[in-house]
């Protein structure tokens, strides 16, 4: 069996999903399998490696085997591009650093959804539409009483976001672009309200209604921290930091939760159910839970003099301990989000007078030592976004149990954009992976009396 690539010339073609993409007729992949030669088209994206279209393979009675989808592009997308070797993250072509510096979360959400930055008029309409949907159905408030006060806010979010589909029957026709728009708006608008409600419920304080004269980030912080008996004045530095955290987490290509949203959506499930599935996938510690783990690790280290001990443990092959907030599956140079987060972290600690805190001293020193250490250099282990976001969120007064909820809130913009892109593509198919079966071959049923 041999898989080869040969050369020809570029032409426009339609993929098996009906999407027009560049096909490199110059490059053709051929597989010699079971004494048959099978040819596959090769597609060229605008960026990134060439991709071999193996969809015709099942007609030959065989499949590819790729657990974890390490070598599989599951979809064609125009939303986000990552070059892990160069440390590049682009949304619709715009570098994440520029978006964090010059844009705001709602503008980025619009960009992800529609492909272009909004004009002034489009921006006003979009923000108005979001503001029109920030409140949740009053009946939904009673859902919260069904949860224990000590329930993890992510457990609450999985439930209440999925429950939204019971309230908005008027916009569940996924084949109607107007319905898709209104569902996307409802989800982006209501996530901060629901997230803050899940926090307030856990601490026994009254829910705070959204205030539409506030910005998206300001509104969220107000719903989190204001109480009816006192006015809350929010420092613009902290509001800006919150907004940046939202931008940084808005989308990240076909990660586990986004793929979950797409797979759920491929069945025709409604968007609220799909986003709820995404929240469930994000909850896992290997995905959304790492910033909490990074913060806990810094607290455990406690003082600068204990750093060498933990570095030693991270390097020991017989110790399962890893430096949380270091390394990335895709970024093998640096995580561009980490650079933005580092700067934001400094600003927040300065504004809150925590710049000299032991936690931050430990973080800075740990980063310095790890970046000079051969073990980390050789393995390309750089601080990732979670290294700084945990400290920043904590300095903003956000409890660790809410970190992943905030991630979900922000990622909703990416999830709905990816879902909407998929539904809008002609000929999209239900996701149905195959398997390499290694169980029993066929055997006859044994009555219970005759079983050993
Ligand atoms: N500390 C110490 N050693 C590490 C670490 C670490 N954080 N990460 C990887 N290594 C070592 C690992 O032991 C292995 O060494 P060796 O070659 O000697 O066996 C080598 O580096 C390669 O590791 P890997 O597990 O094959 O790398 P991966 O790309 O599969 O893992 C990772 C990526 C993020 C799971 C891993 O780096 C890790 O566990 N990091 C800590 C957790 C963390 O911060 N996760 C957040 C990631 S960002 C989330 C997001 O983008 O949303």
């Amino acid at each position: 069996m041999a898989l080869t690539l040969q050369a020809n010339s570029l032409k426009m073609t339609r993929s098996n999903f009906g999407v027009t993409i560049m096909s490199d007729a110059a490059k053709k992949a051929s597989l010699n399998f079971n004494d048959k030669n099978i040819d596959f088209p090769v597609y060229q994206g605008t960026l990134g490696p060439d991709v071999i279209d193996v969809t015709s393979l099942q007609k030959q009675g065989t499949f590819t085997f790729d657990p974890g989808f390490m070598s599989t592009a599951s979809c064609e997308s125009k939303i986000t591009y990552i070059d892990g070797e160069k440390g590049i993250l682009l949304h619709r072509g715009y570098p994440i650093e520029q978006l964090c510096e010059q844009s705001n979360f709602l503008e980025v959400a619009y960009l992800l959804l529609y492909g272009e930055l909004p004009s002034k008029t489009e921006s006003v309409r979009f923000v108005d539409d979001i503001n029109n949907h920030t409140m949740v159905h009053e009946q939904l408030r009673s859902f919260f009483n069904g949860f224990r006060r000590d329930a993890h806010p992510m457990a609450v979010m999985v439930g209440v976001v999925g429950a939204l589909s019971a309230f908005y029957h008027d916009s569940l026709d996924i084949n109607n672009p107007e319905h898709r728009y209104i569902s996307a708006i409802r989800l982006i608008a209501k996530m901060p309200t629901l997230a803050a409600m899940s926090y307030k419920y856990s601490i026994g304080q009254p829910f705070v209604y959204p205030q539409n004269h506030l910005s998206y980030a300001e509104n969220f912080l107000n719903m989190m921290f204001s109480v009816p008996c006192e006015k809350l004045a929010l420092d613009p530095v902290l509001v800006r930091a919150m907004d940046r955290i939202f931008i940084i987490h808005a989308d990240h290509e076909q990660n586990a939760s986004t793929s979950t949203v797409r797979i759920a959506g491929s069945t025709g499930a409604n968007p609220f159910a799909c986003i709820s599935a995404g929240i469930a996938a994000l909850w896992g510690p290997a995905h959304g839970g790492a910033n909490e783990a990074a913060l806990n690790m810094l607290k455990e280290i406690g003082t600068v003099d204990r750093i060498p001990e933990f570095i030693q443990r991270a390097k020991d092959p017989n110790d399962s301990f890893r430096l949380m907030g270091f390394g990335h599956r895709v970024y093998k140079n640096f995580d561009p989000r980490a650079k933005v987060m580092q700067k934001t972290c400094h600003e927040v600690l300065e504004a809150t007078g925590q710049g000299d805190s032991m936690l931050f001293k430990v973080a800075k020193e740990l980063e310095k030592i790890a970046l000079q250490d051969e073990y980390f250099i050789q393995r390309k282990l750089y601080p990732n976004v979670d290294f700084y976001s945990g400290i920043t969120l904590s300095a903003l007064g956000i409890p660790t149990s809410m970190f992943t909820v905030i991630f979900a809130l922000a990622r909703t913009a990416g999830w709905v954009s990816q879902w909407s892109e998929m539904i809008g593509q002609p000929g999209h198919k239900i996701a149905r992976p195959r398997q390499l079966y290694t169980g029993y071959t066929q055997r006859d049923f044994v009555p219970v009396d005759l079983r050993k």
Side-chain angles (χ1 to χ4, degrees), residues 134 136 140 144 152-154 156-158 160-161 164 187-203 207-208 216 219-221 223-225 242 246 279 398-399 401-410 412:
T134 47
V136 293
L140 204 79
F144 282 83
H152 195 286
M154 282 298 271
V156 177
M157 291 301 282
V158 171
V160 294
V161 173
L164 288 177
L187 276 156
I188 296 170
K190 293 182 198 309
M191 280 299 278
T193 313
L194 293 173
M197 285 169 88
S198 71
Y199 172 59
K200 286 295 195 190
Y201 183 75
S202 74
I203 55 168
F207 296 143
V208 177
Y216 192 84
N219 201 8
F220 172 64
L221 289 172
M223 288 187 285
M224 283 284 292
F225 298 122
M242 194 70 253
F246 290 159
I279 297 173
I398 311 246
S401 62
M402 284 296 290
F403 287 5
T404 323
V405 174
I406 286 171
F407 192 160
L409 182 172
T412 296

Side-chain angles (χ1 to χ4, degrees), residues 70 249 252 255 282 285-288 290-291 293-294 313-315 317 321-332 335 337 375-376 379 381 384-387 407 411:
M70 302 282 285
H249 290 93
H252 211 228
N255 51 80
L282 184 74
H287 193 1
N291 52 11
R313 282 189 60 196
K315 289 158 56 172
F321 174 79
R322 283 188 168 194
L323 278 193
M324 298 314 284
F326 276 75
H328 199 274
R329 170 56 62 79
V330 179
Y331 295 117
K332 296 299 177 193
D335 180 343
R337 303 166 303 169
Y375 174 94
F376 292 90
R379 289 168 181 75
L381 300 171
N384 60 46
V385 62
D386 293 315
F387 186 68
F407 192 160
R411 186 55 58 86

